[in-house]
Amino acid sequence: MKLLRISRTKSKCGSCGLGGYCTKVRGESASERPKLAIIGEAPGADEDKLGHPFVGAAGHELDVMLAKAGIGRHNVYLLNLINCRPPENDLASPEGQEALEKCRAGFEEEISKLYSLGVRTLVPLGANPTHALGIEGSIHKVRGSVYDVHVAGLQFWAIPTFHPSFIIRGEWAEEPTVINDIEKASNIALNGYTPPEERFELFPTVRDVELRCRDYVKKRKLIAVDTETTALAYYEAEVFVMAFAESGEDALSIPFYSQGFKPYWHNGDLIRVKNAV
């Protein structure tokens, strides 16, 4: 079977500490025009031995999750941030960090070629690929969200999720999460994506809260309620913020504290807000 494999001619392999010591594991797909690209960190021992991405234990788990999401491995393009295996599979090692720098231009070159083939949707697996796309924050907080990212001046939709190695290390409860994230990414790749209009009130006045709550009650609207608290034990926790949403685009966030744990409401407004709620 002929594979689509993209070479990184712009990587600075000659001056990289990993150059010459590892098999170059290029990205690949069985499809000539894949719609979705999945980005890992670096080849592991099995990948380095066989010369293909995601063929070890984590790759097997990825295949399982792709299948459960209704996607065949052959329909996606698989690549890594770097094409060589760092010592002990540790991307945080000095050699791994150097390889990230030396391979960056080649990585952007590969992503650019995927763009020319029609790829507009990326799934970074884990923190390192997610941060490489310019998405900041913990992978636990950013996963599943849709981000507008730019690589080499080209625009993509990126949906971060957990790396399969995280799942097989015992976090099996998160496997459905990854499956859902991949399924979302596949739908976006096939059908496109229009960002929702976000009509979020994040720093309301007391009057804003009263009017919105009155509207909820008067029109008997079905709303979702979310609270963030300072602790899990109810007898010592305080509500830090409460949010009401009537749709994915309309929401009211009611803060009770500001940065530095300073009260948000003053001069009797807290009583009015609590009464409205």
Side-chain angles (χ1 to χ4, degrees), residues 176-235:
T177 301
V178 179
I179 294 168
N180 288 334
D181 291 344
I182 292 174
E183 187 173 11
K184 175 191 285 188
S186 177
N187 287 334
I188 291 173
L190 294 174
N191 303 312
Y193 179 71
T194 301
E197 294 184 21
E198 296 182 347
R199 296 179 289 274
F200 299 162
E201 284 192 78
L202 302 180
F203 304 101
T205 66
V206 65
R207 188 62 177 158
D208 292 332
V209 175
E210 289 176 332
L211 290 175
R212 185 69 75 95
C213 289
R214 186 180 303 166
D215 182 64
Y216 291 152
V217 174
K218 181 179 179 180
K219 297 181 180 177
R220 302 177 64 86
K221 290 185 177 180
L222 181 65
I223 60 171
V225 181
D226 184 32
T227 58
E228 297 294 336
T229 61
T230 56
L232 295 179
Y234 72 90
Y235 50 82

Side-chain angles (χ1 to χ4, degrees), residues 9-27:
T9 63
K10 296 183 179 180
S11 292
K12 300 176 182 178
C13 300
S15 59
C16 177
L18 297 181
Y21 293 95
C22 301
T23 302
K24 298 280 189 301
V25 182
R26 288 183 291 169

Side-chain angles (χ1 to χ4, degrees), residues 114-131:
L114 288 172
Y115 185 91
S116 71
L117 294 173
V119 173
R120 299 291 185 272
T121 309
L122 309 174
V123 178
L125 300 175
N128 286 314
T130 297
H131 295 161

Side-chain angles (χ1 to χ4, degrees), residues 141-157:
K141 291 185 177 181
V142 302
R143 60 126 298 269
S145 296
V146 183
Y147 291 88
D148 182 350
V149 301
H150 290 75
V151 180
L154 303 171
Q155 190 268 341
F156 296 86
W157 298 116

